Amino acid sequence: MKILKDLLRTVDLLHIWGEVNTSISGICYDSRKIKKNSLFVAISGFKSKGIDYLPEAIKKGARAVISELPFNNKFKDITWIQVRNIREALSQISADFFNNPSKDLYVIGVTGTNGKTTVVSLIDWILNQEEDTAKMGTLGMEHRPDSKMPGFFEKTSLTTPEAPDIFNFFDRLGQAACKNVVMEVSSVGLKMNRVRDIYFSQGLFTTFSGDHLDFHKTMLDYFESKLMLFKKLSSDGWAILNSDEQYSYSKIIEHLNCKYLTYGFSHHADIRPKIHSFSLDGIQATVMTPKGNIEVRSHLIGRVNLLNILAAISSALIKNIPLEKISRAIRLFKPVKGRLDFTYKNDFSVLIDYAHTDQALKSLLQSLKEIVQGRIILVFGAGGSRDKSKRPRMGQVTSKYADFIVVTSDNPRDEKPEHIIGDIIDGFESSFRDYEVEINREKAIQKALNLVEKDDLLVIAGKGHEDYQIFKDRVIHFDDYEVVRKILKEKKSKQIPDYPKKTFPRDSSGGFHA
């Protein structure tokens, strides 16, 4: 319990109606989760206004409400606090309620258009070789210390959760004596002040390309939102930058007040591959670092994943993880679900990936072109009620790099799937005819599987780990993995393990050696 007055010390207040010397049991922005004596923070979402749910919050026991609106006489039995910026207030109050546990954690924030989930998972895996580490992002909030202690996992609906959820998670980590947490930090999360009061020790930038313009409206706003993470870093912090992204790399450096380290394929990167090779079985590379060379053997595939590995190595070096432990951890790391992840691999292969922007699809397909002997057959669509500007760009890059495309539905939401598909096809190169339209995603995957031949690679992109489809009037269960396995089973194809065949010789530790 905390005294409401104490939680308001740093908040930009406009007016207070009612008693503030009262005990608060928790902070809640979702009226469905209100408990007795809670503080209800009436933030507005993209489709509804938080203040509309105040009657429900009061009925469930809310003691006070914070809003940008002035006092409403209908609610005389509750303390009403009017603030200038509701989302700033939500972050400040959440941090104070939990005594800002980020001060006692080593927090690593990863931002960028693509690669966040894989980089976060890699860093979490590597750091756990030395210190207890947790992670947060698209795949959920997770802390799995060891076999002797109970783990913690909770799904998240947002890449970067709301401030109360973040600080509650951090508080639990502190109670478990966790040392580090690595988290995905989205541009939306930054602009909406979800991470405003977090003390970051590292900020890592992956890639930058067009996305979320339905929210940001301009590329400048999108970039400046991501830049906020690096402006937060103190002189003791570290920025880790992709030097191949020349525009964002140079612009971020202009605003840094901290040390920085660079990674990439460019010759001036601090962490870069000296030699490297790719195949459908994985990555082999010798990576140059300021602390010496490190041998990389990985189950992950493609150039894009070597870039992710370089980013993770950079973070681990700053944490002083020994090179040999970094190398061993990378050898043992398995592909992240829905990120360049094989669900079938035999005479032909089927790969599932989350790529849902033009740049992500371009990087994915370019990486695969280097290692696939046969054709690349692609199944993909685009999300409805989201950034429409990227759809023709997605069409343009896929028609350039894929050999055959089945265009289908993703999460159409409030839009008609055929309109979304039309936007994609509008971007196809004028001479491109090697495509088919199938609105039903399961039938699209079926058609693609009927097309594959020996040495071909089928890529199913856009949904990755997601196990649902969102339509205007319903949400249904839909899992690309399940659909592929069902169809292959029906075709009486041999079931293949989830991960690629291991072709590197095993060492006694269960990893691989050259």
Side-chain angles (χ1 to χ4, degrees):
M1 300 283 281
K2 290 290 178 74
I3 303 301
L4 178 57
K5 182 179 179 179
D6 295 337
L7 297 176
L8 301 175
R9 289 175 302 175
T10 59
V11 177
D12 188 1
L13 301 170
L14 292 179
H15 205 83
I16 297 175
W17 293 265
E19 180 59 57
V20 292
N21 289 307
T22 186
S23 295
I24 295 297
S25 63
I27 300 164
C28 201
Y29 58 89
D30 186 339
S31 60
R32 295 168 297 182
K33 299 178 181 179
I34 286 284
K35 295 180 181 179
K36 188 176 180 180
N37 298 326
S38 292
L39 169 63
F40 179 55
V41 184
I43 61 174
S44 294
F46 295 111
K47 293 185 177 181
S48 62
K49 297 178 180 180
I51 202 66
D52 293 341
Y53 298 92
L54 180 56
E56 180 183 358
I58 293 173
K59 186 177 180 180
K60 290 187 174 182
R63 176 160 288 189
V65 62
I66 291 184
S67 172
E68 291 180 351
L69 299 173
F71 176 61
N72 187 323
N73 286 321
K74 291 192 300 182
F75 305 106
K76 295 179 180 179
D77 297 328
I78 191 170
T79 299
W80 189 294
I81 301 141
Q82 185 184 14
V83 298
R84 195 176 304 278
N85 187 312
I86 190 69
R87 287 196 166 273
E88 282 189 6
L90 178 61
S91 178
Q92 292 168 293
I93 291 169
S94 301
D96 287 342
F97 185 85
F98 291 103
N99 298 316
N100 202 335
S102 71
K103 292 180 180 179
D104 299 314
L105 287 165
Y106 190 96
V107 185
I108 300 168
V110 178
T111 195
T113 307
N114 303 308
K116 295 187 294 295
T117 301
T118 299
V119 170
V120 162
S121 298
L122 274 163
I123 295 172
D124 170 68
W125 178 261
I126 295 170
L127 296 192
N128 263 306
Q129 310 303 306
E130 286 278 289
E131 294 180 338
D132 188 7
T133 303
K135 64 180 177 180
M136 174 191 293
T138 307
L139 300 182
M141 297 184 285
E142 183 175 8
H143 178 225
R144 303 192 188 279
D146 55 45
S147 58
K148 298 177 183 178
M149 295 180 64
F152 170 76
F153 174 79
E154 184 177 318
K155 282 189 174 182
T156 55
S157 59
L158 301 170
T159 298
T160 305
E162 296 288 0
D165 303 318
I166 295 175
F167 284 108
N168 182 41
F169 180 53
F170 284 5
D171 185 57
R172 295 181 67 172
L173 296 180
Q175 293 177 34
C178 182
K179 300 293 184 183
N180 314 301
V181 59
V182 53
M183 62 183 291
E184 296 182 49
V185 184
S186 68
S187 58
V188 176
L190 282 158
K191 184 157 187 177
M192 299 187 82
N193 288 304
R194 294 175 191 159
V195 299
R196 179 187 183 277
D197 292 275
I198 294 176
Y199 290 86
F200 286 97
S201 298
Q202 288 184 23
L204 191 152
F205 200 96
T206 58
T207 64
F208 183 70
S209 59
D211 198 11
H212 303 299
L213 295 186
D214 53 314
F215 174 82
H216 291 287
K217 307 305 180 187
T218 68
M219 287 292 286
L220 179 61
D221 184 75
Y222 180 38
F223 176 75
E224 289 184 341
S225 296
K226 291 191 174 296
L227 183 61
M228 291 169 68
L229 173 62
F230 300 92
K231 290 181 176 180
K232 286 172 61 63
L233 296 170
S234 68
S235 58
D236 293 331
W238 280 89
I240 301 170
L241 307 176
N242 178 359
S243 63
D244 296 347
E245 293 279 344
Q246 293 187 2
Y247 173 81
S248 55
Y249 165 74
S250 59
K251 290 295 182 182
I252 292 172
I253 287 177
E254 292 176 7
H255 295 277
L256 291 180
N257 295 310
C258 64
K259 298 161 284 188
Y260 68 92
L261 196 62
T262 63
Y263 70 94
F265 288 90
S266 58
H267 68 277
H268 59 272
D270 298 315
I271 289 89
R272 62 187 186 275
K274 184 177 181 182
I275 56 172
H276 60 274
S277 62
F278 308 116
S279 74
L280 284 177
D281 295 313
I283 297 168
Q284 299 190 57
T286 300
V287 174
M288 301 171 64
T289 84
K291 295 185 178 182
N293 290 350
I294 179 172
E295 296 302 316
V296 168
R297 303 289 183 270
S298 175
H299 300 309
L300 305 184
I301 64 168
R303 181 177 296 268
V304 64
N305 266 324
L306 180 50
L307 188 66
N308 292 333
I309 288 170
L310 296 177
I313 290 172
S314 304
S315 179
L317 286 178
I318 292 170
K319 285 290 290 176
N320 293 314
I321 307 296
L323 294 180
E324 61 273 14
K325 289 195 174 183
I326 298 175
S327 179
R328 182 178 184 276
I330 293 170
R331 288 200 305 269
L332 297 174
F333 182 81
K334 292 181 179 180
V336 178
K337 185 176 182 181
R339 271 69 178 174
L340 277 168
D341 186 19
F342 286 99
T343 189
Y344 182 86
K345 191 168 186 285
N346 200 349
D347 50 340
F348 65 87
S349 300
V350 182
L351 184 150
I352 292 175
D353 192 75
Y354 191 52
H356 57 277
T357 70
D358 52 300
Q359 186 58 48
L361 285 164
K362 180 179 179 181
S363 298
L364 168 69
L365 295 172
Q366 283 181 327
S367 292
L368 294 173
K369 277 287 188 183
E370 293 185 73
I371 54 180
V372 175
Q373 294 181 8
R375 300 173 303 164
I376 296 176
I377 298 171
L378 174 66
V379 175
F380 86 106
S385 306
R386 295 293 186 269
D387 180 7
K388 296 181 180 182
S389 68
K390 66 182 179 181
R391 294 173 189 170
R393 299 197 304 268
M394 293 166 74
Q396 196 276 327
V397 299
T398 53
S399 65
K400 182 175 181 180
Y401 293 105
D403 296 295
F404 193 90
I405 299 172
V406 182
V407 193
T408 188
S409 293
D410 192 298
N411 293 316
R413 298 184 178 89
D414 294 332
E415 291 190 71
K416 291 184 177 180
E418 52 266 35
H419 292 171
I420 300 171
I421 291 170
D423 290 342
I424 292 171
I425 293 173
D426 285 344
F428 282 168
E429 295 190 340
S430 58
S431 60
F432 186 72
R433 297 291 182 272
D434 296 321
Y435 72 91
E436 187 171 344
V437 172
E438 173 52 67
I439 291 176
N440 183 290
R441 192 173 180 91
E442 181 169 349
K443 290 181 179 179
I445 294 171
Q446 173 80 69
K447 288 183 176 181
L449 282 168
N450 289 337
L451 290 171
V452 292
E453 299 173 353
K454 187 177 185 298
D455 294 327
D456 285 349
L457 174 64
L458 168 58
V459 180
I460 304 171
K463 292 186 62 60
H465 65 284
E466 293 179 354
D467 60 1
Y468 55 84
Q469 257 190 305
I470 305 172
F471 296 88
K472 182 176 183 178
D473 56 346
R474 69 197 187 282
V475 177
I476 66 169
H477 177 78
F478 192 96
D479 186 312
D480 286 344
Y481 288 86
E482 292 177 6
V483 171
V484 170
R485 288 166 181 161
K486 172 189 169 186
I487 294 170
L488 290 178
K489 187 176 181 180
E490 290 171 352
K491 291 166 72 71
K492 297 183 179 180
S493 297
K494 183 179 178 182
Q495 192 72 31
I496 300 297
D498 287 343
Y499 297 110
K501 297 174 183 177
K502 284 64 169 182
T503 58
F504 307 135
R506 285 188 174 276
D507 63 25
S508 59
S509 67
F512 303 102
H513 59 81

